[in-house]
Amino acid sequence: MNNSLAPTYQKLIGRMWVLWYSVSNSYSIVDTDFKFLIDSYLKACSKIEFNSILSKEEPNVDIDQITNTIEQYLNNCNIPKVKDVIRTSTFNGKKQTITILYRINNKIVQINYDSELVQKTIHPAIAHYSIKETQLTDIIYDIYLEDDYLFLFEDQQLITSAPKREYHKIQGKFTMLLLCAIHDKVEDDWISTFHGSTLTDGNSSILFAGNSGKGKSTLCALLTTKGFHLLADDVSPMLYKNQDFYFNPAAISIKEGAFKILEKDIQGFDNLPIVKFNKAKGYLKYLPCEHPNKLHYPCFATILVNYKANTTTAVRKVTVKEMLETLIPDSWISPNPDYAKAFLNWLENIEILELTYSDIDSAVQEISNLFKSQYK
C-alpha cells in the first residue's frame, strides 16, 4: 500500500530474512511469516485487497491490527538517522601540550594532545607504536578539549567534534582516519568497521563478536598465545574491493576482571601499565600483539563469544538475527547501496556460529578445528 517503505535489498539467510532500507541505512531481520505479511502489505493496493490476501491464508484475522503493525514496523525501519551536530572551531595551536610520534606500517603519525586526560582516549591502545626519535611526519592529528567539547583535527583541518561525555565518537572517527592513513585508503573504500575482534591463522580469519562481559577479549588474547595473530581488536574494518578484513593496530583492551586469568598465560602481562580513564570503564590494560604476516585476510566465519562458568565448551550454528543483533548496534556500516548489497552477499556465504565456553583449552581447540575444517 505504501511502496516507498519497501526495503531496498532483501536476502534470505538460513531461516531469516535480512532487509536493508536505504533511507535509514538500517537492517532488520524477520522470519518468513512476518516477511509474508510485509510483502502482502506492499503488494496490496488497499486494505480490502490486503484483507483478501490474508484471509486466504488465515481467516478471521484482525486486518486493522495487522495493518497498523506492518505500517508502524516499516515506518520505524525508514526513519532517517539524525546526523550529529558538529561544533565548528578554528584550529588552536596553543593546545599542543603533549606531542607523541608513532610509527605504524611505515607511516609516521604525530598526535598532539592538550592534556593527559585527552591523551587517554587514544594513546593507550597504540602506545606500543610510539617512538622517541624525531622523524618527518606523514600526517598530524590534534585532539583537544575546549568548552566541554572534544575536537579532532587532521593537518589542522577540523574533522569532527563531540561533547566530552561522547568521547567514543572521537575515538571512532580517529580510528577510521588512522585506518585510511596506514592502508592508503579513503573512508568510502570501506564497507564497515564492525564492533568485533578478528583473528587469523595466516590464511583466513574469523570475526569474534560479543556483548561486554562475554569473554571476547580474554579469549582473543589467549588465542594469540596459541599460534594465532590478532588482525583487529574491537574495531574490525572490511574493505569493499575484496571483502577482506584489514589490520587495525590497536592493542587488545583487557578489563580488570580478566587480569588474573591472563597473568598466568601471557608473559609480561603483569608488567603492563594499568589505565583508568573513567569510572564506567574501570581499570584497563592494553595488550600489544605480534604483527600479522599480512595486512588483510578473507573472513569465513563470525563467532558470538559466550563465556559461562562451569559449562561444557560447544560450538553451534546460530541465526543471522542472533549475530546481527549483537554486531550491528555499535558498528559503522556504509550507506552506499552497492556496499550494502556486498555486505548481504558476504553474510550469506559465511558460517555464523556461537562459542559457549568456560575452559580455555577446549575453546582454543574448537577454534583450531574450525580453521582447519575449511582446508579439507
Side-chain angles (χ1 to χ4, degrees), residues 206 208 215 218-220 222-223 226 228 303 305-307 311-315 355-371:
I206 295 176
F208 294 83
T218 303
L219 177 63
C220 288
L222 290 168
L223 284 166
K226 306 296 183 179
F228 300 100
I303 294 180
V305 178
N306 182 25
Y307 175 84
T311 191
T312 301
T313 300
V315 174
L355 168 68
T356 301
Y357 80 99
S358 62
D359 176 69
I360 292 295
D361 290 336
S362 59
V364 170
Q365 188 59 54
E366 289 288 354
I367 300 300
S368 299
N369 292 341
L370 186 59
F371 269 112

Side-chain angles (χ1 to χ4, degrees), residues 9-57:
Y9 295 130
Q10 49 194 348
K11 177 77 70 173
L12 179 62
I13 302 177
R15 305 187 307 275
M16 308 298 293
W17 284 90
V18 183
L19 314 178
W20 179 70
Y21 304 84
S22 58
V23 171
S24 58
N25 185 28
S26 65
Y27 294 81
S28 70
I29 308 98
V30 300
D31 59 25
T32 53
D33 291 338
F34 199 72
K35 178 66 162 50
F36 169 76
L37 293 176
I38 291 175
D39 290 343
S40 300
Y41 170 87
L42 293 171
K43 289 176 183 176
C45 296
S46 65
K47 283 188 178 181
I48 295 175
E49 184 178 346
F50 186 38
N51 188 26
S52 176
I53 294 171
L54 294 186
S55 62
K56 293 177 183 178
E57 299 294 327

Side-chain angles (χ1 to χ4, degrees), residues 129-148:
Y129 289 101
S130 62
I131 57 176
K132 299 298 183 182
E133 66 270 21
T134 301
Q135 296 278 333
L136 291 175
T137 57
D138 293 291
I139 194 163
I140 300 175
Y141 300 105
D142 283 84
I143 307 170
Y144 58 75
L145 187 63
E146 191 171 76
D147 297 328
D148 287 333

Side-chain angles (χ1 to χ4, degrees), residues 201-205 300 370-376:
D201 66 343
N203 294 295
S204 58
S205 66
F300 73 94
L370 186 59
F371 269 112
K372 291 175 183 176
S373 67
Q374 64 171 318
Y375 307 126
K376 292 181 178 178

